[in-house]
Amino acid sequence: MIDEFLKEINKVIPLIKNNVIVDKIKEIKKSETILLNCLEYYQRTTLGLVMIVKNQEDLVSDVLKTAKSFNLDSYVVVDTGSSDNTVENLLELNFVRTEYLHWEENYGLMRNRAAEFSSMDWVLTLDSDEVFLTEPLDLKVLVSVLYIVLEKPFAINFEQHYNKSSKYGIPDRIYSRKQKILLAWYTRSCEIKRQKKL
């Protein structure tokens, strides 16, 4: 089990931009005791996707099927008033729980309300037209390693590659529902790209 966990750690190391953190991760790989602590945290923590959607029938199924390859414990999609076949497409995905909220013109508020539908320790947020541009990996390993290395609350952001830059900045993409965030850091290679509607 520890050998498989080490392989997964090796997959996430190239994603991290901060060389100090990378060096700390390389050090913990040398300590069986710390590795076991990390593995124990990995086994007991949960990570789930929360996504807000509206009128994304052409993209949402493919995006969710891609997200499924990142070893998440739950997939909650919150529809905010779709008038197309988005909800019908979601109901066909047996691994997705669909919830509903009335849209209010405050994205941060809506994101927080949507996250209330999740009971997971950690939340991954993606937009309904975003996909990762990296090979599938276990995002819980990334969270677990950082939890042990940083020893303080953190959030994870990803590089984003869009045709247009957002006026809202880069939101936290993985964050703890239980901790106040003191530190955010960015990944290098776990990139997100918007898909285009067909």
Side-chain angles (χ1 to χ4, degrees):
M1 181 91 178
I2 200 80
D3 290 335
E4 287 299 314
F5 192 63
L6 273 169
K7 286 179 188 175
E8 292 299 319
I9 291 174
N10 288 332
K11 288 182 188 177
V12 301
I13 289 175
L15 305 178
I16 300 170
K17 279 186 166 183
N18 185 312
N19 289 331
V20 173
I21 293 173
V22 169
D23 290 342
K24 287 182 180 181
I25 293 171
K26 289 177 180 176
E27 284 300 311
I28 70 163
K29 286 174 48 182
K30 298 175 186 175
S31 168
E32 187 172 334
T33 303
I34 297 173
L35 272 176
L36 288 172
N37 288 341
C38 191
L39 179 59
E40 179 185 317
Y41 183 78
Y42 169 84
Q43 291 171 331
R44 75 173 190 265
T45 197
T46 56
L47 171 62
L49 173 72
V50 175
M51 179 184 289
I52 300 171
V53 299
K54 183 174 182 181
N55 294 330
Q56 291 290 335
E57 68 180 4
D58 295 334
L59 299 174
V60 71
S61 294
D62 290 337
V63 169
L64 288 164
K65 288 174 186 172
T66 300
K68 193 173 180 189
S69 66
F70 289 89
N71 191 31
L72 305 175
D73 297 301
S74 74
Y75 301 81
V76 176
V77 179
V78 180
D79 185 78
T80 60
S82 292
S83 57
D84 63 0
N85 289 322
T86 298
V87 172
E88 289 80 2
N89 292 350
L90 291 171
L91 294 174
E92 290 178 10
L93 301 173
N94 64 358
F95 63 94
V96 174
R97 189 175 97 224
T98 306
E99 299 289 348
Y100 306 91
L101 282 175
H102 174 74
W103 180 257
E104 295 181 37
E105 285 301 321
N106 181 331
Y107 181 76
L109 173 70
M110 295 304 295
R111 184 179 140 180
N112 290 338
R113 286 188 179 160
E116 291 174 9
F117 287 111
S118 177
S119 61
M120 302 292 106
D121 301 319
W122 293 84
V123 173
L124 164 66
T125 61
L126 288 178
D127 290 343
S128 56
D129 60 349
E130 293 178 325
V131 293
F132 285 101
L133 296 177
T134 185
E135 292 181 27
L137 56 93
D138 191 331
L139 289 175
K140 281 176 45 174
V141 170
L142 179 64
V143 167
S144 300
V145 168
L146 290 173
Y147 181 83
I148 297 298
V149 166
L150 295 174
E151 300 176 331
K152 56 186 166 186
F154 64 90
I156 300 172
N157 302 302
F158 301 117
E159 285 185 358
Q160 299 180 34
H161 299 273
Y162 302 145
N163 295 336
K164 299 176 185 175
S165 61
S166 170
K167 65 180 180 181
Y168 301 109
I170 300 173
D172 295 338
R173 293 306 185 142
I174 299 178
Y175 61 92
S176 170
R177 293 182 62 243
K178 299 177 181 178
Q179 300 172 335
K180 184 175 180 177
I181 304 304
L182 303 175
L183 171 72
W185 66 275
Y186 298 88
T187 63
R188 174 180 298 130
S189 302
C190 200
E191 302 166 344
I192 297 175
K193 181 178 181 177
R194 291 201 186 275
Q195 288 197 20
K196 296 180 183 175
K197 288 188 177 182
L198 301 175

